[in-house]
Amino acid sequence: MQTAYTRHQQFLAQLFDKDDYINAESSPEAAHIFATDASRVTGRDSALLAVVRPRTTEQLAELLRYAQEERIPIHPRAAATNVVGGCLPGVEPFVPCVPHTAAPEQTATQNISAATMPALFPAGIVVSMLHFNKILNISADDFTVQAEPCVVTGSLQKAVERQGLFYPPDPASLAMSTIGGNVSTCAGGMRAVKYGVTRDYVLGLSAVLAGGKILHCGGRCHKNVVGLDIARLFCGSEGTLGIITELTMKLLPLPEASATVLAGFNSMQEAISALAAVFRAGILPATMEFLGTQTLHCLALLESRHHLRWNNNVRAALIIRLDGGQKALIAEKARLSTVLSGSSVWQLEADTPAEEEALWELRRSINPASFLIAPHKMSDDITVPRGALHAALTRIDDIAAKHRLHILTFGHAGDGNIHVNIMHNATDKAELSRARTAKLEMMHSVLALGGTMSGEHGIGAVRMPFINEQLSSLERTLMQGIKKSFDPYGIMNPNKAY
Amino acid sequence: MQKAIVTSLSQNSKECILCGRCLAVCPAFLATEQEELSPRAKMHTLEAFARAVRSAQAAQNEQSTQNTKVTTNALATSALPAFSPQKLSALAELCVGCERCEKACPQGLSVPRLLADLRAAEPTWQQKLWKTWLTHMPLLWLGAQSITTYAPKLLPQALRPLLQSACVLHKDAGKRKNKEQGKGLNKEKNNAAPLFSYAPTNAVFFVKDAATKDAPMTSIAPSAVRPTAPRSLMLFSGCGARTVRPAWQKKALTLLQASGVNVLPEADFSCCGGSLEKAGAKDAARHAALHNIALWRASGKPTLVTFCASCRKALNDYALQENTADAQFWQSEEERDEWKACIVPLASFLNASDFTPILAATASASLSASSSASHVELQAELRAELQDNSLTNTAVCYHEPCHSAVLDNNNDADKTLLRALFAAPQAPAFFVHAGHCCGMGGIAQLSEPALCKKIAAHCWQHIQELATLETALTASPASSNVNANFTAPTAPNSRTSPNTASPLRVISSCSACVMQLAATAPQNIRVQHWLDIVLCPAEIRK
């Protein structure tokens, strides 16, 4: 008798070309990478049935029809650069979900309870969407770009900039991450303080849902209030609602010029006060990055690489970029200088692209520099209301001192979003345990200040254990209900996100 | 193979952190969109395998008190979910060795280096074949050319693309009747069609000089010795020029001599060893390096001038070599630094102001006025070329070699020189194609011809898309910012056919790129080394 396993493999082998289908059992070597992502957490290889790469929407629809019929988990994947395990197959349910054997109507009223947790989730199919990588249309009249989900964000930006257009969201991974992945995680970036995040640019999309239905929503209109905003519901949904096959994104006119200022301060408090003063003065920078004391210490270790001489009095710094019309920029920069001159002890200005690049290279070198302090890190991207930044950073410094750890703080302070790297040596059990405690304490402090545990990385699989710290049971029930209306049997990237 | 994997990986002090930066640069990944071919996937999977083998060995050591003999093979296999070392290594082999991943990796990991170690530990027929190929190059190129031309069916399938490249580039390839009407062969009769004349007096058009009896070419004096010019120079031509296209060697020498520096006759260098090293033929690579360093030392440590980015990368990498008991590379640390400082690209010795664009009308007219009998043959050829407006007006694309990108941080001297040349108002449209490998791939050309072909197709698709965009922008610069609405030229998922291209000249600064691009080019695209677009005074003299 034919087993379900053979039936699935036969179906997939028929639906996909040889190069677009990996049987995880017969080619475990090729499939292994698909059990992980940039979170560095690896799922169970045995949780992987196959990897497929659809080329057409019809092919994808047929796959999702079959997967729903057979209750096979589906794990959408683009460049897999998320750091929270959003692409992992075989994540065991932390929060119990609908058992895959139950019909939707039977479970519709079921509350989330441990009793319904299936012992082992069945092996799933990773759907690599990388063949969907064409820019379909750039309209300089509509200020829109229409693209398939796996166009690399950096390439999309270059393509629109050639026509004097601008797609602002700039996650650090933009050279390799994709526009579809950016939408699924609602990626942010340094320019979010002025221009907002990915969500603010989604106008419309097409997606295939579990069961094979094809959804089209939104369009090229920059305003649209008819019904619920389904397109933006996909932002940050981490592949739990459907698989995006096409996106329409809003564009802006490309700013004529930009300039960057690096300002150093005596203390973290001085830096945060200066940040507030900049906004109060009516200046909205394109980026406003904060570097804490420990972060500057790391960068000083890398000094030879960036050729910057640190002023020894600098304990915290801001890197501020302004953009706009050439002439307006000169006036704006003068205003910024005036605001900063009150408190900063050191300033560096960059007006040419090459000079600016040198300063931003500094910002980018934080990650490699951090490993000069300790071999491992726990990385968080907490966000607090802008006014609570000082309180949050002070609390984090206290936690670091209490647990004798180096905790780096840096990032998009302009929108209250701080990257927190708890550096430690994981092979030292005691230190690892201190780091874990510090992480929890930090999270509780942030939530107590009205903050969020993630400003841009998302929840994925690795933060699910903490989800109840932030979301109420009502919120989670509503979210599960929304998912159910897209995906009645819960096959889409199960046990992640909410 | 299992032992080879474990040993090779133990040389990496760091692990892959799965950040994915290599995805942005890896040609094998970009051309196939198959993530399992990315450097990240290869490193991650090989590391997982090596870890499992090591822990199995550790477990075995603990049990060794019982003195039972268990092979590591059996242990490792039991520790892993059915990974086959052979399949693992076959997957890793799908790499063209461009070394872009190493540059992009924050951990400094390199798949090509890892592969070289793996191949060195487990040589297969491809490596042997490649080694034979490179070590007996002159003979093979010539033989290959006859075979390709007259008996193409005798060729092993895997070797055809490469041999076709050789055929295209061989100095007299054009004069032979080409029976092979197949893919990628450039059927034009002459590969020259220069665009710029080189006159280091910085004063006149060469055509004017050629036409004036009392100002013969021989009297043209170099403008000045370059301020940075070292005491003495020596060319390192590389296998591509030495065996396939000696014209490059000759022209490079003329350019150097004309710029007034002291050029020593080229020593009897062997292959740079780059491809040998990556193919895992480490002994042969080491031998080549030792030979070349010895010749350099014996010649008084001249500056070595190259016009092939791959040679330059390989020569640069000699500085990474450590002395061993049986191979003394460096007499001192200072010598190692001296060597590194001595490897210089030809373009860095040339000033853009010494070049003048050759204009179809004026050049042709001036040539007609010339009465020197020795110029007759050249004039006829030149006139034919120059009167062909489709050539002199054809847009030119500079393909940046991976090895330039990796060595020079995307700021290579060749690109700088060419940008300056084409900035002249009379020069044809010019653009740079960077970030995509041509798919030459060294040993992969033999072991993975299908992958090389895919990468080449991807490269050409990108060049042609860029050409469309660039020419559109040049044609209507005013409207492009305001009204131009871009719609993808082709329906999604249908690639542009590689054989229907608008005319274009593609130039590069790497012998290997030129060979590969020439062998895979769509029909009306001409591929050359940038040396081919320069006309030297010496060429008029002969």
Side-chain angles (χ1 to χ4, degrees), chain A residues 19 22 26-30 32-34 36-38 40 42 45 53 55-56 77-81 128 130-131 133-141 148 162-164 175-176 367, chain B residues 15-21 23-24 29 32-36 40-41 44-45 48 81-84 87-88 91 454 466 469 473 480-488 492-493 495:
Chain A
D19 282 348
I22 302 170
S26 58
S27 304
E29 307 83 10
H32 188 62
I33 187 66
F34 296 93
T36 189
D37 59 24
R40 302 180 69 186
T42 300
D45 279 354
R53 287 182 270 262
R55 286 181 185 271
T56 63
R77 182 181 181 98
T81 53
S128 168
L130 293 172
H131 289 324
N133 61 357
K134 316 282 178 305
I135 294 178
L136 304 171
N137 179 286
I138 298 171
S139 170
D141 294 329
E148 293 179 332
R162 272 198 203 104
Q163 300 192 34
M176 65 277 186
N367 185 45
Chain B
E15 281 207 340
C16 171
I17 56 167
L18 295 167
C19 67
R21 282 175 196 227
L23 300 181
F29 168 71
T32 60
E33 294 150 8
Q34 291 174 220
E35 196 183 328
E36 66 274 24
R40 170 171 82 170
H44 175 68
T45 312
F83 277 13
S84 134
K87 279 168 95 176
L88 205 52
L91 191 69
K454 266 188 197 163
L466 208 57
L469 277 173
L473 287 183
S480 63
N481 281 348
V482 193
N483 285 323
N485 284 346
F486 162 78
T487 300
N493 305 323
R495 307 258 183 220

